Short mmCIF file of all heavy atoms in Angstrom, two decimals:
data_model
loop_
_atom_site.label_atom_id
_atom_site.label_comp_id
_atom_site.label_asym_id
_atom_site.label_seq_id
_atom_site.Cartn_x
_atom_site.Cartn_y
_atom_site.Cartn_z
N THR A 617 224.74 95.57 198.96
CA THR A 617 225.12 96.98 198.95
C THR A 617 224.47 97.79 199.99
O THR A 617 225.02 98.58 200.61
CB THR A 617 224.55 97.54 197.58
OG1 THR A 617 225.20 96.76 196.49
CG2 THR A 617 224.80 99.01 197.45
N LEU A 618 223.33 97.37 200.41
CA LEU A 618 222.50 98.11 201.52
C LEU A 618 223.09 97.88 202.84
O LEU A 618 223.21 98.86 203.72
CB LEU A 618 220.99 97.81 201.44
CG LEU A 618 220.19 98.06 200.37
CD1 LEU A 618 218.91 97.36 200.41
CD2 LEU A 618 220.01 99.69 200.30
N LEU A 619 223.57 96.61 203.15
CA LEU A 619 224.04 96.23 204.49
C LEU A 619 225.46 96.05 204.64
O LEU A 619 226.02 96.09 205.65
CB LEU A 619 223.28 94.91 205.08
CG LEU A 619 221.73 95.03 205.00
CD1 LEU A 619 221.18 93.65 205.44
CD2 LEU A 619 221.32 96.20 206.03
N GLY A 620 226.07 95.77 203.48
CA GLY A 620 227.43 95.30 203.44
C GLY A 620 227.62 93.88 203.69
O GLY A 620 226.66 93.14 204.42
N PRO A 621 228.60 93.20 203.37
CA PRO A 621 228.76 91.78 203.35
C PRO A 621 228.80 91.18 204.87
O PRO A 621 228.32 90.10 204.98
CB PRO A 621 230.08 91.35 202.73
CG PRO A 621 230.89 92.66 202.67
CD PRO A 621 229.85 93.74 202.64
N GLU A 622 229.34 91.83 205.73
CA GLU A 622 229.48 91.30 207.12
C GLU A 622 228.08 91.30 207.70
O GLU A 622 227.62 90.21 208.31
CB GLU A 622 230.43 92.12 207.97
CG GLU A 622 231.80 91.92 207.73
CD GLU A 622 232.14 90.38 207.84
OE1 GLU A 622 231.87 89.75 208.86
OE2 GLU A 622 232.76 89.86 206.87
N ARG A 623 227.25 92.29 207.72
CA ARG A 623 225.92 92.25 208.32
C ARG A 623 224.99 91.33 207.58
O ARG A 623 224.08 90.80 208.22
CB ARG A 623 225.24 93.73 208.30
CG ARG A 623 225.63 94.55 209.58
CD ARG A 623 224.70 95.70 209.62
NE ARG A 623 224.96 96.74 208.55
CZ ARG A 623 224.63 98.08 208.53
NH1 ARG A 623 223.90 98.36 209.47
NH2 ARG A 623 224.92 98.68 207.57
N LEU A 624 225.22 91.25 206.38
CA LEU A 624 224.34 90.27 205.51
C LEU A 624 224.57 88.89 206.05
O LEU A 624 223.62 88.09 206.08
CB LEU A 624 224.79 90.25 204.07
CG LEU A 624 224.05 89.45 203.05
CD1 LEU A 624 222.46 89.99 203.14
CD2 LEU A 624 224.53 89.47 201.75
N LYS A 625 225.61 88.50 206.74
CA LYS A 625 225.74 87.24 207.33
C LYS A 625 224.72 86.91 208.46
O LYS A 625 224.67 85.76 208.90
CB LYS A 625 227.17 87.10 207.77
CG LYS A 625 228.20 86.97 206.67
CD LYS A 625 229.69 86.90 207.26
CE LYS A 625 230.71 86.97 206.20
NZ LYS A 625 232.14 86.84 206.70
N ARG A 626 224.17 87.87 209.00
CA ARG A 626 223.19 87.66 210.10
C ARG A 626 221.70 87.85 209.59
O ARG A 626 220.83 87.88 210.35
CB ARG A 626 223.46 88.90 211.17
CG ARG A 626 224.59 88.63 212.14
CD ARG A 626 224.59 87.41 212.83
NE ARG A 626 223.36 87.27 213.60
CZ ARG A 626 222.94 86.13 214.29
NH1 ARG A 626 223.89 85.14 214.20
NH2 ARG A 626 221.84 86.02 214.99
N ALA A 627 221.45 87.85 208.32
CA ALA A 627 220.12 87.92 207.71
C ALA A 627 219.33 86.53 207.91
O ALA A 627 219.90 85.42 207.64
CB ALA A 627 220.24 88.44 206.29
N PHE A 628 218.19 86.61 208.36
CA PHE A 628 217.19 85.51 208.47
C PHE A 628 217.81 84.33 209.22
O PHE A 628 217.89 83.24 208.63
CB PHE A 628 216.86 85.13 207.05
CG PHE A 628 216.23 86.20 206.12
CD1 PHE A 628 217.05 86.83 205.25
CD2 PHE A 628 214.99 86.66 206.38
CE1 PHE A 628 216.59 87.97 204.43
CE2 PHE A 628 214.38 87.75 205.56
CZ PHE A 628 215.32 88.34 204.67
N ALA A 629 218.13 84.68 210.42
CA ALA A 629 218.93 83.61 211.20
C ALA A 629 218.01 82.67 211.90
O ALA A 629 218.06 82.38 213.13
CB ALA A 629 219.75 84.29 212.33
N TYR A 630 217.19 81.81 211.03
CA TYR A 630 216.21 81.01 211.50
C TYR A 630 216.80 79.82 212.56
O TYR A 630 216.13 79.64 213.57
CB TYR A 630 215.50 80.28 210.40
CG TYR A 630 214.79 81.26 209.57
CD1 TYR A 630 214.40 80.91 208.23
CD2 TYR A 630 214.48 82.68 209.93
CE1 TYR A 630 213.80 81.75 207.33
CE2 TYR A 630 213.89 83.36 208.91
CZ TYR A 630 213.46 83.11 207.82
OH TYR A 630 212.98 83.88 206.82
N LYS A 631 217.85 79.23 212.14
CA LYS A 631 218.39 78.03 212.77
C LYS A 631 218.86 78.69 214.20
O LYS A 631 218.72 77.93 215.18
CB LYS A 631 219.58 77.42 212.07
CG LYS A 631 219.99 76.05 212.64
CD LYS A 631 220.88 75.40 211.70
CE LYS A 631 221.22 74.03 212.26
NZ LYS A 631 222.21 73.15 211.37
#
Side-chain angles (χ1 to χ4, degrees):
T617 300
L618 292 168
L619 300 176
E622 283 305 307
R623 269 192 298 191
L624 186 60
K625 293 177 182 178
R626 286 297 309 172
F628 306 100
Y630 302 158
K631 191 172 184 178

